[in-house]
Amino acid sequence: SDSDGVQMVSTSNVVDFPDNDFGLLNYGKLYIQLHHHNGSPEQAMDFSAEFPSQYNTVEIIILAIVMTIMMIIVVIGNMLVIIAIATEHSLSSVQNWFIASLAFADLSLGLIIMPFSLAYELLGYWMFGSLWCDIHGALDVLLSTSSIMNICLISLDRYWSITRALDYLTNRTQAR
């Protein structure tokens, strides 16, 4: 303590963590910060300045539950579409394989992109490392573009089947 009654805190126990730890040591970071922190556990747990989230705890819980349910619906729904088209012979037409391709792109988004994006949105920081951040960003663009292109292809196929019905049936590649 100094003459004003302010307690001096030692900074010798402060641990500086590198940014390139690939996000796998966050629980270890928390333990070390709790163990070496000179203040109360409440102060050690306050990461709001370091990792700001725009949501409070109740909002995070509600959003996590709602979005997880939505991700499960996306994954199960698209898996069912792919399984139905792949296993049912009467559904294995060219038009339906376009739909299966769209379902695969959306299934990949639901499995690979959405969980990590949800964690990033709720936490307010990326905890999975810079390598996965780059891969995640590239896959997000790739899969989203693939989904959009599949929708365009399905629309074009439907347009041709309506406006050029006779030519469409004779020129289209048959299912093998």
Side-chain angles (χ1 to χ4, degrees), residues 62-72 114 118 122:
I62 291 170
L63 285 171
I65 291 170
V66 170
M67 291 304 295
T68 301
I69 290 170
M70 290 176 65
M71 282 187 274
I72 291 169
M114 290 175 71
L118 176 64
L122 295 180

Side-chain angles (χ1 to χ4, degrees), residues 33-147:
Q33 287 180 354
L34 283 171
H35 185 69
H36 290 293
H37 199 278
N38 289 332
S40 68
E42 291 79 21
Q43 290 173 332
M45 291 294 292
D46 183 21
F47 295 108
S48 60
E50 187 176 356
F51 304 119
S53 176
Q54 62 182 344
Y55 306 106
N56 63 37
T57 305
V58 174
E59 291 172 331
I60 289 174
I61 292 170
I62 291 170
L63 285 171
I65 291 170
V66 170
M67 291 304 295
T68 301
I69 290 170
M70 290 176 65
M71 282 187 274
I72 291 169
I73 291 169
V74 164
V75 169
I76 291 174
N78 285 300
M79 279 183 13
L80 289 174
V81 168
I82 294 168
I83 291 169
I85 293 171
T87 58
E88 185 62 39
H89 184 67
S90 64
L91 295 177
S92 60
S93 65
V94 174
Q95 300 94 331
N96 287 340
W97 281 109
F98 292 154
I99 293 171
S101 178
L102 173 63
F104 182 77
D106 291 344
L107 171 70
S108 300
L109 279 167
L111 285 174
I112 299 170
I113 302 303
M114 290 175 71
F116 297 101
S117 295
L118 176 64
Y120 174 66
E121 177 67 25
L122 295 180
L123 296 175
Y125 68 100
W126 184 261
M127 64 181 279
F128 305 106
S130 61
L131 176 65
W132 181 244
C133 181
D134 292 341
I135 293 170
H136 179 269
L139 284 175
D140 190 5
V141 171
L142 175 76
L143 294 171
S144 297
T145 304
S146 172
S147 184

